[in-house]
Amino acid sequence: MWLAFRVALAKHVNSLFLHFLILGQLRHMENGEKLLVTGSDGLHPYLQHAAQAEAMGRRGDLLLATLLYSWCLAGLPDRSFSLPCKKGTENQAVLRPVKNPNCQRRATCVFGSSLFANLMGLPAASASDPLILPLEFERGAFLLTFQVQGSTFRGVADTGSPFLLVAACVGARRAAGRCSDYCSRYGCSQRDVGRSAGLADNIISFAGGYATAVWRQGDVQLGGCVLSHRTLGVLGETQSFGGNAGGPNFGLIKLAAEDSEIRPTFLSQTPYTTLVFDFRNMSNPVLELAEKLSPWEGERAETMLTDLRDFGAGVQYYAVVVEELLVDHVNILEAKTVAILDTGTTGLVLPKSLFFSFDAVRRASAQEVGIKRAGNVEVRFPPLPGSSGPSVSLQLRRGRIPDLDAALDIVTPLAEDAGSVFLRAELREMQEENLRIERPSVIFVGLGFFAGLRMGIDIAAGKVTFA
């Protein structure tokens, strides 16, 4: 595999030996995984590193250093390019840029061979290092910024949905002339962005509505890193039931059932198996994606995830068995219940029967303590099996949060037409008359319970940690 790039090496490097050494290195490398190089501000003086690498006989380092230096000085456009490296190498290196007054071009997130992970003098990060993404609060949700095929989008960081979605401005929004406002806020895509994913269009349902999705493949930039040819959905006009933040979801559920009708989740196309939402500083919230959950210091509480795919769900929601759901210290649970930990939900969403119980207890309490002091909600989860610790307890944060200039203590009933997390089970019951699955009741526990906490979801270990 030959690299498609323009190297102005002879113009910028006086050593012809260096030039031929690079060409020789290209010839002798095995074809296989690609090394991708793309954006972030500033560059090291790569030529200096190339000279050091040459003196030490480190040809891999020499190759990358010289390519980057030549790319910088040749004035190539900001874009990704690839070059061959050894088969079977899948680890990631992130070359953290340092300002260089002689070259202010854009450089460098590197995916590929470990041969390049320790470029001379350049600090590097391995695939196990977390990808740290800042979050912005807007309309009851936290949004993260990302790029698809070079265009910028903002999506709801959503642990309650699985897909990476962007929107096209079509239908009633376009007819009403509202594209400019929406697209400036969340970004808009062409329906034919990238290339076809080879998947049929379908309907995506979520708690706040539904929309038709066209499935495409494109380069996704998240933080400073680029993932090439990832599958994503482009949404048409959304039929809304209300209660959503407005922007499309950046779904963070990784695992799905084995079903050809279910589209690839975004995280299933990445090496990441842990998510950490850090809401301890609400003015500077972040999401960390990593391959492994790093040890936490200080006090923490842990509970197990329960897999709703066993009950027919199409994806592995981050669900936890609920021991108690307390409203003003009264347990309102009526049956076996699980809570989906959903960062796409502002407060608490309950089935209608539980919502009526919540409302009745709150009204009774308000007669004794007043309306402003009534309606306190606490949800309790069991500790890890074998643990001697107490149950995990989360409280719905009451009142306005100054850092957000908003309140998160919103309790709402689940709309009848918002769909069911057990849709696949419903379909199976229609096909198999004798199949009966006793499914638990489902509630959605949202941001109001996570405010001020750090929440880590370890998908591989099947547990959640709060600190």
Side-chain angles (χ1 to χ4, degrees):
M1 182 189 304
W2 285 96
L3 171 66
F5 66 96
R6 293 182 292 161
V7 178
L9 196 60
K11 176 180 178 182
H12 304 298
V13 181
N14 292 326
S15 174
L16 288 177
F17 172 75
L18 191 61
H19 184 97
F20 287 117
L21 185 58
I22 290 177
L23 296 179
Q25 182 70 13
L26 276 172
R27 292 192 185 96
H28 287 95
M29 292 178 72
E30 299 179 73
N31 291 338
E33 297 293 327
K34 290 182 177 180
L35 177 73
L36 300 179
V37 181
T38 190
S40 188
D41 291 335
L43 283 172
H44 274 270
Y46 286 118
L47 183 59
Q48 176 182 349
H49 295 300
Q52 294 173 345
E54 178 188 2
M56 298 180 65
R58 298 179 62 173
R59 295 188 175 186
D61 294 339
L62 166 64
L63 172 64
L64 183 59
T66 309
L67 288 178
L68 291 174
Y69 181 72
S70 300
W71 173 56
C72 171
L73 293 184
L76 296 182
D78 294 338
R79 57 187 171 91
S80 300
F81 58 85
S82 62
L83 60 104
C85 55
K86 291 185 178 181
K87 293 180 180 179
T89 55
E90 299 177 352
N91 53 313
Q92 162 194 351
V94 180
L95 306 183
R96 299 192 178 106
V98 170
K99 294 292 183 181
N100 173 14
N102 298 319
C103 185
Q104 294 297 331
R105 299 275 313 156
R106 293 168 61 84
T108 62
C109 172
V110 181
F111 286 86
S113 171
S114 59
L115 178 66
F116 305 105
N118 295 307
L119 184 62
M120 284 296 301
L122 291 175
S126 70
S128 60
D129 289 332
L131 180 60
I132 300 177
L133 306 170
L135 301 173
E136 298 176 276
F137 184 79
E138 183 175 299
R139 299 186 180 183
F142 284 99
L143 281 69
L144 60 83
T145 300
F146 60 99
Q147 288 77 39
V148 175
Q149 295 293 108
S151 297
T152 299
F153 299 87
R154 296 166 73 230
V156 176
D158 187 10
T159 57
S161 62
F163 309 118
L164 172 56
L165 302 173
V166 296
C169 194
V170 295
R173 182 179 290 122
R174 176 174 289 277
R178 291 184 283 113
C179 285
S180 177
D181 179 66
Y182 183 89
C183 296
S184 63
R185 185 183 295 273
Y186 302 113
C188 286
S189 170
Q190 299 296 320
R191 298 295 293 273
D192 60 351
V193 65
R195 64 183 184 183
S196 172
L199 300 167
D201 301 353
N202 66 353
I203 293 176
I204 298 293
S205 296
F206 34 89
Y210 64 90
T212 300
V214 176
W215 296 93
R216 308 293 296 178
Q217 282 190 344
D219 295 343
V220 178
Q221 182 170 337
L222 196 57
C225 298
V226 171
L227 296 162
S228 293
H229 310 308
R230 271 24 182 205
T231 297
L232 65 144
V234 180
L235 299 180
E237 185 174 2
T238 299
Q239 303 299 320
S240 179
F241 308 133
N244 61 65
N249 294 332
F250 194 108
L252 295 168
I253 293 175
K254 185 178 180 76
L255 302 178
E258 294 183 4
D259 188 330
S260 60
E261 295 301 314
I262 299 175
R263 301 299 182 250
T265 73
F266 174 72
L267 282 188
S268 71
Q269 304 173 72
T270 76
Y272 304 122
T273 61
T274 68
L275 305 86
V276 176
F277 283 88
D278 196 338
F279 296 127
R280 291 173 296 180
N281 180 358
M282 295 298 281
S283 64
N284 187 31
V286 296
L287 166 63
E288 299 177 10
L289 301 178
E291 290 190 39
K292 188 169 77 170
L293 197 64
S294 58
W296 290 11
E297 298 180 356
E299 295 185 4
R300 61 187 182 275
E302 295 180 308
T303 187
M304 292 296 296
L305 295 173
T306 185
D307 195 345
L308 295 183
R309 291 178 298 177
D310 296 339
F311 299 95
V315 295
Q316 187 189 25
Y317 292 94
Y318 304 128
V320 181
V321 172
V322 180
E323 281 189 337
E324 293 182 299
L325 179 59
L326 303 172
V327 180
D328 294 326
H329 308 293
V330 177
N331 183 18
I332 65 171
L333 288 189
E334 302 167 348
K336 181 178 179 180
T337 302
V338 297
I340 291 178
L341 307 177
D342 185 6
T343 56
T345 292
T346 302
L348 175 65
V349 179
L350 300 172
K352 284 188 175 179
S353 61
L354 277 179
F355 179 80
F356 293 149
S357 298
F358 157 80
D359 192 53
V361 172
R362 179 186 59 172
R363 288 175 181 274
S365 179
Q367 293 180 0
E368 297 182 8
V369 300
I371 190 66
K372 291 185 178 180
R373 299 179 61 185
N376 300 287
V377 180
E378 178 183 356
V379 59
R380 291 180 180 174
F381 307 132
L384 290 178
S387 171
S388 58
S391 298
V392 177
S393 175
L394 302 180
Q395 287 82 35
L396 180 62
R397 182 159 173 173
R398 302 294 304 277
R400 204 161 194 81
I401 300 174
D403 288 336
L404 304 181
D405 192 26
L408 303 177
D409 52 344
I410 300 172
V411 182
T412 55
L414 186 65
E416 294 290 347
D417 53 359
S420 167
V421 298
F422 299 119
L423 179 60
R424 293 179 68 254
E426 303 286 359
L427 293 176
R428 289 213 309 268
E429 285 188 356
M430 293 171 58
Q431 297 170 356
E432 302 179 32
E433 183 177 352
N434 296 326
L435 178 62
R436 292 293 181 267
I437 299 176
E438 186 178 350
R439 300 190 299 274
S441 178
V442 176
I443 66 176
F444 294 83
V445 170
L447 296 172
F449 292 90
F450 311 143
L453 299 177
R454 188 182 185 200
M455 177 178 70
I457 299 174
D458 190 328
I459 302 166
K463 69 177 184 180
V464 187
T465 303
F466 298 95

